[in-house]
Amino acid sequence: MHSLRIADRSPTPCSPRRFRHQVPLHLLQFPQSRLRPRIQVVPLHLLQFPQSRGFDLEFKLADDPKIALQRYGRYLYDALILFCPSVERFGGSIDLAAIIDFFDSGHDLIIAADSNASDLIREVGNECGVEFDEDPLAVVIDHISYAVSETEGDHTLIASDDLIKSDVILGSKRIVAPILFRGIGHSLNPANNWYVLKVLSASPSAYSANPKSKLSTPPTLIGSAISLVSIVQARNNARILITGSLSMFNNRFFRSGVQKAGSQTKHEKSGNEQFLTEISKWVFHERGHLKAVNVKHHKVGETDEPALYRINDELEYSVEIYEWSGTSWEPYVANDVQVQFYMMSPYVLKTMSHDKKGLFSTSFKVPDVYGVFQFKVEYQKLGYTSLSLSKQIPVRPYKHNEYERFIPAAYPYYGAAFSMMAGFFIFSFVHLYSK
Amino acid sequence: MAAPEISTAAVPTLYTNNALRNAFGGVLAFFILLLIGVMAFSIRLFSVIKYESVIHEFDPYFNYRVTQFLAKNGIYEFWNWFDDRTWYPLGRVIGGTVYPGLTLTAGTIWWFLNSLNIPLSVETVCVFTAPIFSAFASWATYLLTKEVKGTGAGLTAAALLAMVPSYISRSVAGSYDNEAVAIFALIFTFYLYIKTLNTGSLFYATLNSIAYFYMVCSWGGYTFIINLIPMHVLLCIVTGRFSSRLYIAYAPLVVLGTLLAALVPVVGFNAVMTSEHFASFLVFIILHVVAFVYYIKGTLTPKMFKVAVTLVVSVGLAVCCAVIAVLIALVASSPTKGWSGRSLSLLDPTYASKYIPIIASVSEHQPPTWPSYFMDINVLAFLVPAGIIACFSPLSDASSFVVLYIAASVYFSGVMVRLMLVFAPAACITSGIALSQAFDVFTQSIKFQLPGISSNKEVDAAETSSATAEAQNDAVKTEKSEETSKNRPSKKSKKKEKEEKPSTKAKAEKKRLLALPLDSSVISLLLLILLGAFYVVHCVWAAAEAYSAPSIVLTSRSHDGLHVFDDFREAYAWLRHNTDVDDKVASWWDYGYQTTAMANRTVIVDNNTWNNTHIATVGTAMSSPEKAAWEIFHSLDVKYVLVVFGGLVGYPSDDINKFLWMVRIGGGVFPHIKEPDYLRDGQYRIDSQATPTMLNCLMYKLCYYRFVETDGKGFDRVRQTEIGKKYFKLTHFEEVFTTHHWMVRIYKLKPPKNRIRGKTKKSKSKTSSTSSRAKISGTGKKNPWH
């Protein structure tokens, strides 16, 4: 499971005043002991959600010369939040490679870009399979589903409710109010559909362009291909939240009411808070994190795990799967966990039954093929961390004394052989002694 | 063993009164044989003395590993051994796919010594099995040749075989391969066949079947026996030499031998199912028909017999045609026409190179060059024709067998280098006969020419032997003249004694006529001795210099002394100590056996090339670009890739030189790999003129990665050229180990990507965006903004 690291560094609060001008880099840390957060800074960008859930937050400015993600080869933090869309280079030892390394070694990221996003932020996004609009001044514009406000603006504040349908990612409570968004759009690498997911996509009428200039060529990003908020779950289960709007974290956006153009319902409060709180729970592995333990297999009727099986053996396979609820490991309940008996291709593919206490098990017959097999569980479900278990097990053919000793079908041949022998004996006897 | 036979054979000769001298000759022959055995053993120890007591080459490592398993787990576990460390993930049933003769022999020796409290390691026993059996083989040669042409020829042939380079190449200490025991089994089986043929004894016939069983256990070359002996039987029948002795020599062999052969798991039903064995059954039928005809001939009057013959021939022909038609239909319905690839390449030398690259790729399956004949059998090549002539004067059943044997083996050795090994004993036997006959003639000439020495007293070893040989030939002749009657050995000797006196008189006459001038005889003798000396010198040189290198340790001499290249063991030791026990190592199949035996790691393919597709998969991976190769290897759970590279030190048999075979074998199964893509104008090159496919394939990259750092130019000392692509990076593999002389390089597969990047860096993204823009404008109707 995601390791919760001991805080070996006390958070240093910095003055909220400075956030107003310089977009800071926020470092976020999970303490092992769930201390109340020490920082009660509510800056321009609302960040209450981590504190209220027992995380230690550490705020740093992007150009702080001392910021570092690791010290003596060990990471100081479990997650990193980048609220600095326009920073060209960080102070300290953080650069693109450091951020990617941080992620590749299993830590989580929240990245907020915005129009005028710097190359650095674009490249971080690019490394994760997300491409922001090339035009630095482009923002997402929607003349149909924009958010109604007092001043008829340029329709860059859009209200979107095109969310991914997943209880694991967005929580079981439905997000009713549209989400306010103002910022840059991005697209996903199409070859990439497993790792990157659109969580909040723009409406079909949206497009990405510079609102100040006249549109000479058709925009690159149009319609629901535009992703407003995306998540990434890498192979090592590290998670990233990428959004094109920094202002959607803004307190003002959190608190303001919202009415979608063309719609009569006016919501008292935008969906931003609920959406971002829920999705941050997912990003910080408070939800949708599975672990598999106690992989066992044995022959039916036995309990010891053999070193190898024989073809056509009956065997039982079991594994315990638990889900992290944010506070404890709960039994995972699903009817779609499958085990493969695999040698270059699956010879057996069976859905495992479970006992509601997390124990998944099944039994099957070893195929009539010998070789080095693997028990494989490849469980990849939307929103959950992927489970990938494999255990090698050779399957041998019959031994020489495990075949049937006498085959009924061969009795005529046995008879033929023995009658021949008897006949030859009698013939020889007669031939030699008849005269 | 030899002594009493010689004396009994010598008793009914001219010198019956001289029993003491014969006994002396027997003792002398015994000691000569003993010394030949000692020489055969000791000439093969050069490898141990010059290098160390190690197992050599590739296949012996597998045999060694199997023997270890046998010594540890016993015969039943060995029989049922399913090896999961090779041919991953298919595995290999060792017990059912290996010729167990060698392993069981060495295992038995080891067990025997250990039960005598002689604590030798399995490795020591394995190393010395081949030399021990080459001593046995030379004794078996003595027995065989003695049956054909007498003691003198036998001793000469044994001495020649003890040091024939062709056989030494496969049986030096440490060369623990099937051939080590199989050649002994081959010669011994032939000896027992000839012995049965000469005596007509069922006892020897049974022994012959058992010897044949041992041969089947030991080597796939047993098919040579089961085809050669039927050929000889057929020859005998055609030339009118059918006798009850022939029947006794052949019929039990087919029945018992086939039953016993079917007991060997690797042969099993092949003993009756494959075309290789059909000849023996066909001849078995023919033999019975002929025997029946002779029986009928004996009972019927000549007139009745003629009628019967016409009747039977007409009916028989019809039946035969039907049977043959059925057989042809059966054989033709099987895809390889019932013949295994190796056997087909024997019949049609171009077959393998045309259709089966995996067989053609093995160097020992290539046809030999003329110099290799001179290298491997040396002066025997010149003596063989003389020996064949000697076999014809007079032609007996036994000597006709030798002629047939040498004719067949010359053909097969011309097809495949490996079968030089079968040819070598035949060459030794015929050369032994030739030499001993020549010595006979010359010494007898000298004896008759020299005044004052009576022919009775002047008897040297050669004389005795020639006399016995001729006596035996006479015996054979007499037998032939009365072949229908059943000859018991006791009767035979009596009859010989009866006919002895006139024949020896005639012989003395003949000798006088054949006598050569004294001086020419002496000079010829000296020349012959010189020839023999040259042979000995050559053999000792070959044993010491050419054939003793274990090939896992290489040496080279240069101006600054001796260099030892121990890179292979260095690499295998690294694998053994630095990788996880279940990690899979991919390499070209040549190194499979060594990797499992020395590094104890699972391999994908090995020298037991039973699964062409699997080998082709590895070949394809090696010939593919990095990414495709990574995907292939990853799908096979490979963790490490091992390549052998000789470019730095000039070791020619490295993977780059073998690479075209990988392309061919890979392309044979996966047609997207095409050989012309790797050749520039039909030439295989790795310099700047090489094709891009070549320069981007995995094998090139793994071999030449960082190579330019060694000398700044990247000069390949095997190909004698600068490499084409010098500076490149690996994206899917990382170098983890390179041995001291860069001969073995081990790479690790990088783990699968944690994430997938977006499309682009800056420059690329522009082109992609413009192209996508163009696309959008192209599909203008769908664009809501127009």
Side-chain angles (χ1 to χ4, degrees):
Chain A
M1 164 49 191
H2 188 87
S3 65
L4 301 176
R5 284 174 41 80
I6 302 166
D8 51 358
R9 175 172 182 171
S10 62
T12 44
C14 41
S15 90
R17 175 172 50 84
R18 297 191 59 183
F19 285 112
R20 199 168 293 276
H21 307 293
Q22 257 184 323
V23 185
L25 164 79
H26 300 271
L27 300 174
L28 175 67
Q29 194 169 22
F30 294 67
Q32 191 180 42
S33 55
R34 304 219 160 250
L35 297 170
R36 294 302 303 158
R38 283 201 182 150
I39 320 159
Q40 291 294 335
V41 184
V42 183
L44 169 67
H45 312 103
L46 185 101
L47 269 177
Q48 321 167 290
F49 52 87
Q51 282 105 330
S52 63
R53 300 207 303 272
F55 298 122
D56 271 0
L57 274 178
E58 207 169 286
F59 295 85
K60 296 278 179 177
L61 294 180
D63 54 358
D64 185 337
K66 284 195 199 127
I67 51 172
L69 288 174
Q70 55 179 337
R71 194 197 291 164
Y72 308 128
R74 301 190 66 177
Y75 282 104
L76 300 167
Y77 311 104
D78 290 304
L80 173 69
I81 303 176
L82 295 175
F83 278 176
C84 46
S86 59
V87 67
E88 288 294 344
R89 50 185 294 273
F90 292 105
S93 63
I94 298 183
D95 56 6
L96 175 66
I99 294 168
I100 296 303
D101 271 356
F102 181 74
F103 173 65
D104 280 345
S105 48
H107 301 93
D108 306 321
L109 269 178
I110 293 179
I111 305 166
D114 217 325
S115 61
N116 264 324
S118 68
D119 282 352
L120 182 72
I121 294 299
R122 284 168 184 276
E123 271 171 37
V124 172
N126 194 23
E127 286 291 334
C128 309
V130 159
E131 228 180 321
F132 291 105
D133 195 330
E134 285 294 308
D135 186 350
L137 296 172
V139 290
V140 182
I141 305 169
D142 196 333
H143 295 298
I144 294 172
S145 44
Y146 56 93
V148 177
S149 59
E150 292 83 39
T151 53
E152 182 68 15
D154 46 11
H155 298 165
T156 56
L157 178 65
I158 56 177
S160 174
D161 50 6
D162 193 0
L163 290 163
I164 191 170
K165 287 173 188 58
S166 166
D167 285 356
V168 189
I169 296 171
L170 294 178
S172 48
K173 203 176 150 208
R174 210 170 82 83
I175 299 168
V176 184
I179 291 144
L180 290 170
F181 181 95
R182 174 185 284 150
I184 190 168
H186 59 263
S187 64
L188 308 185
N189 182 353
N192 206 351
N193 41 19
W194 168 248
Y195 296 101
V196 187
L197 289 171
K198 254 185 264 184
V199 179
L200 183 66
S201 35
S203 75
S205 56
Y207 66 101
S208 175
N210 183 357
K212 302 268 170 17
S213 67
K214 199 159 176 276
L215 209 54
S216 56
T217 52
T220 330
L221 291 174
I222 49 165
S224 47
I226 300 176
S227 175
L228 304 176
V229 179
S230 303
I231 52 171
V232 181
Q233 178 171 284
R235 190 185 292 272
N236 65 357
N237 292 328
R239 288 170 174 175
I240 309 181
L241 175 71
I242 297 173
T243 165
S245 163
L246 182 62
S247 40
M248 71 186 295
F249 295 92
N250 197 310
N251 277 356
R252 203 155 56 81
F253 279 33
F254 271 35
R255 289 174 192 144
S256 75
V258 62
Q259 184 186 5
K260 209 172 166 182
S263 160
Q264 295 308 311
T265 49
K266 183 171 164 57
H267 299 273
E268 281 303 309
K269 203 167 167 247
S270 75
N272 284 33
E273 180 169 8
Q274 191 192 353
F275 171 68
L276 289 170
T277 309
E278 291 299 330
I279 203 159
S280 73
K281 280 184 183 168
W282 182 84
V283 170
F284 296 142
H285 287 269
E286 285 170 75
R287 211 165 36 222
H289 192 104
L290 301 178
K291 76 164 178 182
V293 289
N294 279 339
V295 178
K296 281 180 190 160
H297 60 89
H298 52 82
K299 277 190 209 169
V300 171
E302 293 177 15
T303 50
D304 291 340
E305 189 172 296
L308 78 174
Y309 287 104
R310 196 192 67 191
I311 54 173
N312 296 333
D313 268 349
E314 293 283 345
L315 66 83
E316 282 172 359
Y317 177 87
S318 67
V319 59
E320 290 172 32
I321 303 178
Y322 297 99
E323 182 183 2
W324 180 247
S325 69
T327 49
S328 63
W329 289 105
E330 303 292 333
Y332 180 64
V333 177
N335 291 319
D336 52 3
V337 185
Q338 292 179 320
V339 63
Q340 304 173 23
F341 201 55
Y342 181 94
M343 181 176 78
M344 295 208 280
S345 60
Y347 278 73
V348 173
L349 179 62
K350 278 204 96 171
T351 307
M352 290 194 278
S353 57
H354 61 90
D355 62 352
K356 300 236 161 73
K357 288 174 195 149
L359 179 72
F360 289 76
S361 62
T362 188
S363 69
F364 56 87
K365 190 178 180 186
V366 176
D368 197 1
V369 177
Y370 57 80
V372 183
F373 280 82
Q374 282 171 315
F375 289 109
K376 268 196 174 186
V377 175
E378 294 284 348
Y379 188 65
Q380 295 177 328
K381 195 174 179 185
L382 180 66
Y384 286 100
T385 52
S386 58
L387 284 180
S388 180
L389 312 172
S390 72
K391 193 165 192 178
Q392 180 174 317
I393 185 86
V395 173
R396 66 167 171 83
Y398 286 115
K399 287 188 176 178
H400 70 278
N401 54 3
E402 285 173 338
Y403 291 100
E404 236 175 321
R405 187 66 188 83
F406 294 103
I407 309 166
Y411 276 104
Y413 299 99
Y414 304 149
F418 282 104
S419 65
M420 179 75 194
M421 276 147 73
F424 182 73
F425 182 76
I426 292 164
F427 171 79
S428 315
F429 194 81
V430 170
H431 184 75
L432 289 172
Y433 299 105
S434 61
K435 283 167 196 167
Chain B
M1 185 178 168
E5 279 182 26
I6 289 165
S7 51
T8 51
V11 164
T13 61
L14 184 62
Y15 316 104
T16 33
N17 55 343
N18 239 327
L20 189 68
R21 185 178 291 137
N22 290 329
F24 176 71
V27 171
L28 191 67
F30 175 76
F31 278 107
I32 291 173
L33 271 181
L34 203 65
L35 288 176
I36 286 173
V38 170
M39 180 183 67
F41 181 80
S42 50
I43 201 173
R44 287 165 169 81
L45 299 187
F46 277 112
S47 60
V48 173
I49 295 161
K50 287 184 71 180
Y51 295 89
E52 56 189 298
S53 175
V54 282
I55 307 285
H56 289 195
E57 307 226 334
F58 305 105
D59 288 22
Y61 268 95
F62 170 74
N63 297 326
Y64 168 50
R65 178 162 166 259
V66 174
T67 314
Q68 273 183 317
F69 185 89
L70 173 70
K72 199 173 155 196
N73 297 303
I75 187 163
Y76 284 105
E77 284 298 310
F78 165 56
W79 184 0
N80 292 310
W81 185 17
F82 174 69
D83 186 6
D84 58 352
R85 303 196 72 76
T86 179
W87 289 96
Y88 180 86
L90 307 169
R92 177 181 172 194
V93 186
I94 300 278
T97 58
V98 78
Y99 285 100
L102 175 77
T103 316
L104 290 177
T105 307
T108 312
I109 295 173
W110 179 83
W111 170 83
F112 179 71
L113 290 174
N114 268 274
S115 58
L116 291 180
N117 284 327
I118 304 174
L120 287 180
S121 71
V122 177
E123 189 180 6
T124 314
V125 173
C126 293
V127 165
F128 292 103
T129 298
I132 291 170
F133 269 79
S134 54
F136 292 167
S138 53
W139 292 333
T141 310
Y142 163 75
L143 292 173
L144 173 56
T145 321
K146 193 179 80 117
E147 280 303 312
V148 179
K149 283 282 175 187
T151 316
L155 288 174
T156 325
L160 291 176
L161 185 102
M163 51 187 172
V164 65
S166 168
Y167 185 29
I168 286 180
S169 74
R170 292 318 194 93
S171 62
V172 291
S175 182
Y176 179 57
D177 210 348
N178 287 335
E179 289 91 332
V181 299
I183 293 303
F184 158 71
L186 180 87
I187 300 171
F188 198 64
T189 310
F190 285 153
Y191 157 67
L192 284 169
Y193 171 70
I194 297 292
K195 185 80 185 169
T196 322
L197 201 57
N198 281 346
T199 58
S201 150
L202 259 180
F203 170 70
Y204 283 114
T206 315
L207 282 188
N208 189 18
S209 309
I210 292 169
Y212 172 67
F213 175 56
Y214 184 66
M215 177 68 191
V216 177
C217 278
S218 305
W219 196 31
Y222 76 90
T223 46
F224 183 67
I225 295 182
I226 205 62
N227 283 303
L228 187 69
I229 289 181
M231 272 164 72
H232 180 243
V233 171
L234 207 60
L235 185 79
C236 285
I237 291 171
V238 169
T239 53
R241 289 171 167 270
F242 175 80
S243 65
S244 55
R245 288 174 290 105
L246 186 70
Y247 184 85
I248 289 167
Y250 186 66
L253 175 68
V254 171
V255 176
L256 286 178
T258 306
L259 281 176
L260 288 170
L263 292 182
V264 181
V266 64
V267 178
F269 280 107
N270 285 350
V272 287
M273 304 276 276
T274 56
S275 312
E276 281 94 333
H277 304 80
F278 279 179
S280 64
F281 301 132
L282 195 67
V283 171
F284 186 68
I285 295 167
I286 293 172
L287 188 70
H288 278 90
V289 170
V290 171
F292 186 68
V293 168
Y294 273 93
Y295 175 72
I296 298 291
K297 204 175 180 181
T299 51
L300 293 180
T301 57
K303 208 174 184 184
M304 281 293 282
F305 181 69
K306 260 189 182 168
V307 175
V309 164
T310 44
L311 191 75
V312 168
V313 163
S314 50
V315 174
L317 269 181
V319 173
C320 273
C321 288
V323 168
I324 288 168
V326 168
L327 271 183
I328 289 173
L330 276 179
V331 169
S333 66
S334 75
T336 59
K337 310 276 181 274
W339 291 77
S340 67
R342 277 193 180 84
S343 312
L344 273 176
S345 72
L346 285 181
L347 293 180
D348 172 10
T350 56
Y351 177 85
S353 54
K354 264 190 271 177
Y355 304 109
I356 314 174
I358 197 140
I359 291 179
S361 74
V362 182
S363 60
E364 61 185 22
H365 292 162
Q366 304 287 341
T369 52
W370 285 113
S372 75
Y373 277 96
F374 186 74
M375 176 71 194
D376 276 356
I377 57 171
N378 199 245
V379 302
L380 304 188
F382 311 117
L383 291 171
V384 164
I388 293 174
I389 293 168
C391 284
F392 275 100
S393 57
L395 189 69
S396 65
D397 289 352
S399 64
S400 69
F401 179 77
V402 170
V403 173
L404 195 68
Y405 176 22
I406 192 133
S409 60
V410 163
Y411 172 71
F412 289 133
S413 73
V415 175
M416 232 188 233
V417 175
R418 192 148 104 120
L419 295 176
M420 286 289 276
L421 199 57
V422 175
F423 172 55
C428 289
I429 291 163
T430 43
S431 308
I433 291 168
L435 269 184
S436 115
Q437 296 286 73
F439 270 106
D440 266 2
V441 171
F442 295 137
T443 47
Q444 274 169 28
S445 306
I446 293 170
K447 191 175 68 188
F448 281 107
Q449 307 273 332
L450 280 185
I453 297 170
S454 81
S455 62
N456 269 5
K457 284 178 185 171
E458 180 60 33
V459 182
D460 54 20
E463 180 73 2
T464 321
S465 68
S466 77
T468 52
E470 280 174 39
Q472 274 191 342
N473 290 335
D474 291 341
V476 171
K477 273 181 205 161
T478 51
E479 279 170 56
K480 221 181 84 186
S481 62
E482 41 182 18
E483 58 200 356
T484 41
S485 72
K486 287 176 189 173
N487 280 332
R488 297 276 158 80
S490 55
K491 276 187 194 171
K492 231 196 304 179
S493 57
K494 275 178 204 164
K495 274 169 192 161
K496 270 183 227 161
E497 276 173 75
K498 274 182 205 166
E499 293 205 357
E500 192 161 276
K501 277 185 181 172
S503 76
T504 40
K505 264 185 190 171
K507 209 188 330 169
E509 283 296 315
K510 220 165 78 184
K511 269 179 194 166
R512 208 156 280 137
L513 287 174
L514 280 173
L516 294 167
L518 180 67
D519 45 356
S520 62
S521 301
V522 171
I523 290 170
S524 308
L525 261 186
L526 285 176
L527 284 176
L528 272 185
I529 289 167
L530 207 65
L531 195 69
F534 181 70
Y535 176 71
V536 171
V537 169
H538 173 80
C539 290
V540 173
W541 172 83
E545 300 294 331
Y547 290 137
S548 283
S551 96
I552 54 160
V553 186
L554 305 163
T555 56
S556 85
R557 263 176 235 281
S558 65
H559 57 277
D560 52 344
L562 188 74
H563 291 275
V564 177
F565 302 102
D566 205 357
D567 285 37
F568 287 104
R569 288 194 291 185
E570 186 187 349
Y572 294 131
W574 185 89
L575 277 176
R576 191 180 198 109
H577 293 292
N578 295 284
T579 60
D580 193 64
V581 75
D582 274 333
D583 282 348
K584 283 86 191 168
V585 180
S587 64
W588 189 234
W589 58 262
D590 296 22
Y591 315 106
Y593 278 164
Q594 292 184 345
T595 311
T596 37
M598 283 199 263
N600 192 24
R601 291 296 170 265
T602 308
V603 296
I604 306 299
V605 292
D606 68 22
N607 310 43
N608 175 259
T609 52
W610 66 276
N611 189 323
N612 189 33
T613 313
H614 220 49
I615 292 180
T617 309
V618 174
T620 306
M622 293 296 190
S623 352
S624 301
E626 219 180 313
K627 183 158 188 277
W630 183 91
E631 273 158 13
I632 292 171
F633 281 142
H634 187 69
S635 73
L636 290 169
D637 297 328
V638 169
K639 252 312 199 11
Y640 296 92
V641 180
L642 178 150
V643 293
V644 172
F645 171 62
L648 186 71
V649 290
Y651 169 64
S653 52
D654 65 350
D655 277 348
I656 290 284
N657 273 3
K658 292 172 183 169
F659 180 62
L660 271 191
W661 289 111
M662 303 182 203
V663 173
R664 276 175 208 154
I665 292 169
V669 177
F670 303 100
H672 68 275
I673 302 288
K674 295 183 195 72
E675 192 181 337
D677 292 349
Y678 297 85
L679 302 173
R680 173 74 71 196
D681 304 327
Q683 272 188 314
Y684 178 60
R685 51 201 306 172
I686 44 97
D687 55 10
S688 49
Q689 299 294 307
T691 59
T693 323
M694 179 69 214
L695 294 179
N696 285 313
C697 71
L698 184 72
M699 181 50 78
Y700 180 90
K701 285 193 165 180
L702 296 192
C703 283
Y704 293 115
Y705 179 60
R706 295 200 306 112
F707 182 53
V708 72
E709 292 170 24
T710 55
D711 60 354
K713 286 188 300 186
F715 186 79
D716 186 319
R717 290 175 61 183
V718 175
R719 268 65 59 178
Q720 293 295 331
T721 176
E722 266 183 47
I723 59 173
K725 196 168 157 188
K726 295 175 183 175
Y727 303 94
F728 55 85
K729 279 185 179 164
L730 296 174
T731 52
H732 292 77
F733 294 84
E734 56 182 327
E735 185 186 8
V736 287
F737 187 69
T738 295
T739 56
H740 185 228
H741 301 98
W742 286 49
M743 276 168 59
V744 184
R745 312 196 68 185
I746 301 171
Y747 292 84
K748 189 178 183 179
L749 268 76
K750 284 187 181 165
K753 270 194 183 155
N754 193 30
R755 64 210 140 71
I756 296 176
R757 297 190 52 223
K759 265 175 264 167
T760 48
K761 292 266 164 193
K762 270 276 146 161
S763 58
K764 253 190 173 175
S765 74
K766 263 174 199 159
T767 57
S768 73
S769 66
T770 49
S771 68
S772 61
R773 231 164 238 171
K775 209 166 113 191
I776 287 165
S777 55
T779 55
K781 276 179 189 169
K782 283 179 187 171
N783 191 333
W785 311 107
H786 278 150

